[in-house]
Amino acid sequence: MWYQELKQQEQTYVINSYGRFPIALDHGKGARLWDVEGKEYIDLASGIGVNCLGHDHPVLTKAIEDQIHKLMHASNLYTTAPMVETAKTLTTATGMAKVFFANSGAESNEGAIKLARKYSFDKYGPGRYKIITLLNSFHGRTITTLKATGQDKFHDYFFPFTEGFDYAQAGNIEDLKQKADDSCCAVMMELIQGEGGVLPQEKAYVHAVAEFCKQKDLLLIIDEVQTGIGRTGSLFCFQQYGILPDIVTMAKGLGGGLPIGAVMAAQSCCDVFTPGTHATTFGGSPTVCAAANAVLSVVNQADFLQEVQRKGEYLKEQILGFQSPEIQGVRGMGLMLGIIVEEGKHSAFVGKLLENGVLAITAGKNTVRLLPPLVITQEEMDQALAAMKAVFCQS
Ligand SMILES: *Cc1c(COP(=O)(O)O)cnc(C)c1O
């Protein structure tokens, strides 16, 4: 079916909650995608940071195929080996202690919020529930994670929202200290704000937050839903900041395209959830965990992660090398990059890139966001760069 016909049927049958780009994707290979009309694209979006191994990666597709024939789903009433293996790999690689499996980023953050509140309730009794997040953050679309998101535009329509959140200015430790009163139990933050505009936090600030949390026995929750699984050039971004959080959440890249999320807890709080206190039907299914194990077998290798850093540096350098008057800067780490343009112009640039065969996405008010597959090749990068140069240097 061609795009126009598909689009018409979409408008008839699918709830209109997304502003979609005007193409319908059909299939992909590596960092290349083809739409239903046969036009080819270089994928610098990865399904919003999900397809970290690109498209049709043999290690991933084989692992999923083998597992679905063996056992697709079992529920959490039973133990399965793929789930145990994912948890073991994640904790061994990070120094964290234990893992709870969810199905998305929002759900993982919801789990982290519940864990932090129960940690505090168990230890201090009721009244200590507030979670400080950062202004301009993004933590998900459930009623609670919307409220955790530090952007007013997300706090509309769906009243009443979950209570118990306050928002501190990123980079301002005094603001955070002031807002963390006696009712506070945790601080939750992204180390690079993704949706907010690819904004990395300063190292000194993150260290100050971590130290303050220790002092006050506040749990430090790092939302690595976008930054995790090799995206920034280390398995998790927090490893480059030199901190050990109490809780790390992840999703997007973990399944390489299958829906899986996880809440990873440090020794400090890994036994807070007990049977009956938190659960999900689908979480940690053998299929999604087999996918995660395949992803981790590729990504959790020093030479692979080094390549992610090298590719990120290369893209950054080349893009700055365009010397385009439209580009005000490039920020980010590894293969999570933001090209800063004039406020409000980011969507138009992303549209032009698409017309020129490059899929990118927006972030914040002025950022063209690049989240290429971590396996992107030199040739694919150079093809994308040539198209980008044409877009940013025309006129
Ligand atoms: C995408 C994202 C989420 C939400 O994940 P979903 O899977 O869409 O629920 C939460 N936090 C961050 C940092 C994200 O980038």
Side-chain angles (χ1 to χ4, degrees):
M1 210 179 286
W2 289 51
Y3 173 69
Q4 285 304 340
E5 195 182 344
L6 258 179
K7 188 67 190 176
Q8 221 162 45
Q9 296 204 12
E10 181 193 319
Q11 282 164 343
T12 306
Y13 298 114
V14 181
I15 288 180
N16 182 29
S17 70
Y18 297 99
R20 298 184 206 266
F21 292 112
I23 57 171
L25 290 173
D26 185 69
H27 64 282
K29 185 81 197 171
R32 290 176 202 278
L33 281 165
W34 286 266
D35 69 15
V36 290
E37 297 177 354
K39 185 176 170 190
E40 182 182 321
Y41 304 87
I42 300 286
D43 181 12
L44 301 186
S46 304
I48 320 184
V50 168
N51 304 104
C52 56
L53 300 189
H55 305 279
D56 195 24
H57 191 290
V59 174
L60 179 57
T61 52
K62 181 168 191 316
I64 295 168
E65 200 175 323
D66 289 350
Q67 187 58 49
I68 60 176
H69 290 297
K70 212 171 157 191
L71 182 68
M72 199 180 310
H73 170 83
S75 87
N76 283 299
L77 300 175
Y78 311 96
T79 298
T80 55
M83 171 192 71
V84 176
E85 187 186 328
T86 310
K88 187 174 169 186
T89 305
L90 287 171
T91 52
T92 306
T94 56
M96 301 289 286
K98 293 182 185 181
V99 181
F100 175 88
F101 289 103
N103 309 288
S104 68
E107 240 186 88
S108 301
N109 286 336
E110 185 96 16
I113 291 162
K114 286 177 72 177
L115 199 162
R117 284 187 170 181
K118 185 169 185 296
Y119 170 85
S120 189
F121 186 94
D122 290 347
K123 199 162 169 183
Y124 301 100
R128 202 169 169 279
Y129 53 81
K130 188 157 95 180
I131 293 171
I132 311 285
T133 65
L134 298 185
L135 289 168
N136 199 44
S137 57
F138 181 79
H139 296 298
R141 293 281 191 163
T142 63
I143 292 279
T144 296
T145 55
L146 275 177
K147 197 65 197 288
T149 292
Q151 302 184 53
D152 282 342
K153 67 175 181 190
F154 290 104
H155 305 157
D156 211 351
Y157 316 121
F158 312 113
F159 305 103
F161 288 92
T162 308
E163 284 176 43
F165 292 94
D166 202 352
Y167 316 101
Q169 196 180 37
N172 182 343
I173 187 68
E174 291 313 317
D175 188 42
L176 185 136
K177 284 182 177 172
Q178 195 200 325
K179 281 164 180 160
D181 59 21
D182 290 344
S183 71
C184 189
C185 70
V187 173
M188 175 156 89
M189 65 167 70
E190 303 157 273
L191 293 172
I192 304 176
Q193 293 184 333
E195 302 306 307
V198 191
L199 293 155
Q201 302 297 335
E202 281 168 32
K203 241 180 202 169
Y205 173 67
V206 172
H207 281 228
V209 173
E211 195 178 316
F212 178 69
C213 285
K214 278 254 140 44
Q215 265 172 33
K216 294 273 187 179
D217 197 18
L218 309 175
L219 295 191
L220 178 58
I221 305 168
I222 301 296
D223 178 346
E224 294 240 23
V225 170
Q226 193 159 152
T227 52
I229 319 302
R231 177 55 56 191
T232 68
S234 49
L235 187 59
F236 290 94
C237 191
F238 79 79
Q239 296 170 305
Q240 290 183 68
Y241 275 82
I243 54 164
L244 190 62
D246 297 290
I247 301 174
V248 176
T249 58
M250 70 200 80
K252 292 196 166 87
L254 180 57
L258 291 192
I260 174 173
V263 184
M264 191 159 62
Q267 206 65 49
S268 57
C269 58
C270 68
D271 295 320
V272 166
F273 285 147
T274 50
T277 54
H278 194 45
T280 160
T281 300
F282 287 115
S285 90
T287 303
V288 296
C289 286
N293 293 335
V295 166
L296 290 168
S297 76
V298 174
V299 174
N300 186 29
Q301 301 287 344
D303 52 349
F304 184 91
L305 293 167
Q306 219 161 32
E307 267 294 285
V308 171
Q309 291 186 16
R310 185 194 67 77
K311 291 179 205 176
E313 288 304 318
Y314 178 74
L315 287 175
K316 198 185 274 189
E317 215 170 82
Q318 294 292 312
I319 292 165
L320 289 171
F322 295 166
Q323 306 230 342
S324 162
E326 304 283 0
I327 295 176
Q328 298 175 7
V330 179
R331 60 187 171 219
M333 290 164 69
L335 286 171
M336 179 172 183
L337 295 173
I339 303 171
I340 318 309
V341 298
E342 194 182 311
E343 188 166 324
K345 275 191 164 184
H346 54 337
S347 296
F349 277 117
V350 167
K352 279 190 209 163
L353 287 168
L354 182 138
E355 284 169 19
N356 282 264
V358 171
L359 300 187
I361 51 181
T362 59
K365 295 190 176 93
N366 65 352
T367 306
V368 174
R369 182 172 27 156
L370 308 181
L371 301 168
L374 306 182
V375 296
I376 191 167
T377 64
Q378 189 64 39
E379 195 198 344
E380 289 160 342
M381 285 195 292
D382 287 335
Q383 192 180 330
L385 283 164
M388 290 166 78
K389 186 170 181 182
V391 166
F392 284 110
C393 296
Q394 73 183 195
S395 83

